[in-house]
Amino acid sequence: MTSALTFAPLDPDLHQRALALLDDEWLARDADLAPVLPIVLARGVGQDWHKAGTFRHHLVGVARSLALWRQPRDVRLLGLLHSVYGNAFVDLVKFDPERERARLRDAVGERAEQLVYLFCTASRAQFVRQVLAGQIDADGSVQVHEHRLPADVVAAFIIVSMADTCEQWFAWQDDIYSGFPDVPHVPQAAHWMAALWPGPMRPPSRIYAQISALGAALQHPALKGLLPMPPVFEHCTRTLSASDEAAASSLYWSVISQAQPLVQMDGAVAALEHAARLNPWVGEPQMVLAQLHLIAGRSQEAQAAATGALQCYSAWGNAWDKRVQWDAWMAWARILRQGAQTGAWPERLDKLNNVALKAA
């Protein structure tokens, strides 16, 4: 028997923190990050390609999640600068690690610069491999080749890795980085279709399970309590299976790509409901479901689904479906919730162009 579908309530404090990050000005108001941003921008990060956007978009998006998760200064700076020395995954070397460490150290402090340097030079793939395998020592340390990372660094690297991955990953990376952290060497000529960027921009189908496992590692006795626990996956107490993630993504995309009946919405509703059951940790399936309920005049169901979507968006600070950015998903979910609460939703298709968020 199919279980009843329930949606998470909206955490008012978390939601208010998320609202404060919707405008680009949030970074200018951050006393720790604002002085560093011009130094990074001067290195051309706004012109560099990076996965679903530019390198600036990525660095700021990672820092945004970390700010939302109330991470301390050095961890937020690590998020903003996490790849500036380059790493095995990207060739974007913005500061020469042989000659410019002192310059960055003067700007951010010794502790933050050391975290950035280790994050760029220690093998990230090996670190993720060790953590996912539960190879964390009793004292919380992890051995990554020649580096022994102490517990406080391990906790910081796990949390930044979660933010880093959720900000950038979509289906294109599912294919080119299939199997991460154990990526096979696949010839591009034989798989040229997978190489075409950005592809159809499907949401990821095999990475949030990994993010949930990284978060669960923060429950290790020597790591728990070192840093604020990210609010995702019920504060990292729950995990998502790889099979549920893949099935939920496929069900969601079947609706978005109009692979469901286009007149009767029952099939689309059922697909989205099942997607939300399988993966209740992302907001987009719940948000689309909310709009279908509004169209059908089911305001109560629409409000519950839109509220659940807003809670998910407020927990991540980044979008799961990268076709539009996080702030746009937040805005539309708020409009849907408003429509459900007021009972006012356009009957005519063209009037969707007129909807707007009203001041509370």
Side-chain angles (χ1 to χ4, degrees), residues 77-97:
L77 282 169
L78 171 58
L80 184 64
L81 302 167
H82 68 275
S83 295
V84 296
Y85 287 137
N87 57 50
F89 302 145
V90 293
D91 293 330
L92 291 167
V93 178
K94 294 302 174 181
F95 289 84
D96 186 337

Side-chain angles (χ1 to χ4, degrees), residues 79-206:
L80 184 64
L81 302 167
H82 68 275
S83 295
V84 296
Y85 287 137
N87 57 50
F89 302 145
V90 293
D91 293 330
L92 291 167
V93 178
K94 294 302 174 181
F95 289 84
D96 186 337
E98 299 296 325
R99 297 184 297 107
E100 293 190 287
R101 289 192 63 186
R103 177 185 174 91
L104 196 59
R105 191 181 302 121
D106 289 344
V108 302
E110 184 172 355
R111 165 69 175 167
E113 190 278 332
Q114 178 67 11
L115 284 174
V116 173
Y117 180 75
L118 278 174
F119 198 80
C120 291
T121 56
S123 170
R124 292 270 303 285
Q126 183 62 16
F127 174 76
V128 170
R129 207 176 285 122
Q130 299 278 91
V131 172
L132 294 179
Q135 294 176 354
I136 303 174
D137 289 346
D139 64 356
S141 64
V142 171
Q143 187 72 41
V144 181
H145 299 315
E146 73 275 15
H147 300 283
R148 176 161 289 280
L149 306 178
D152 60 333
V153 173
V154 170
F157 281 16
I158 288 174
I159 291 172
V160 173
S161 294
M162 292 170 67
D164 178 30
T165 305
C166 82
E167 192 287 326
Q168 66 178 282
W169 213 276
F170 64 109
W172 186 74
Q173 283 173 286
D174 270 353
D175 290 330
I176 68 163
Y177 254 33
S178 178
F180 178 82
D182 299 302
V183 180
H185 295 171
V186 178
Q188 187 175 162
H191 296 273
W192 58 269
M193 185 61 77
L196 299 180
W197 183 86
M201 293 293 288
R202 296 188 313 276
S205 62
R206 59 187 69 196

Side-chain angles (χ1 to χ4, degrees), residues 136-141 151-152 155 217-226:
I136 303 174
D137 289 346
D139 64 356
S141 64
D152 60 333
L218 293 169
Q219 301 296 331
H220 185 287
L223 301 180
K224 191 173 183 179
L226 292 179

Side-chain angles (χ1 to χ4, degrees), residues 275-293:
R277 286 189 186 92
L278 291 169
N279 185 358
W281 315 114
V282 296
E284 288 84 340
Q286 300 173 47
M287 194 209 71
V288 178
L289 180 62
Q291 184 168 353
L292 290 182
H293 283 318

Side-chain angles (χ1 to χ4, degrees), residues 255-269:
V255 177
I256 299 304
S257 61
Q258 300 184 352
Q260 297 288 341
L262 300 183
V263 177
Q264 297 293 333
M265 69 171 65
D266 297 4
V269 169

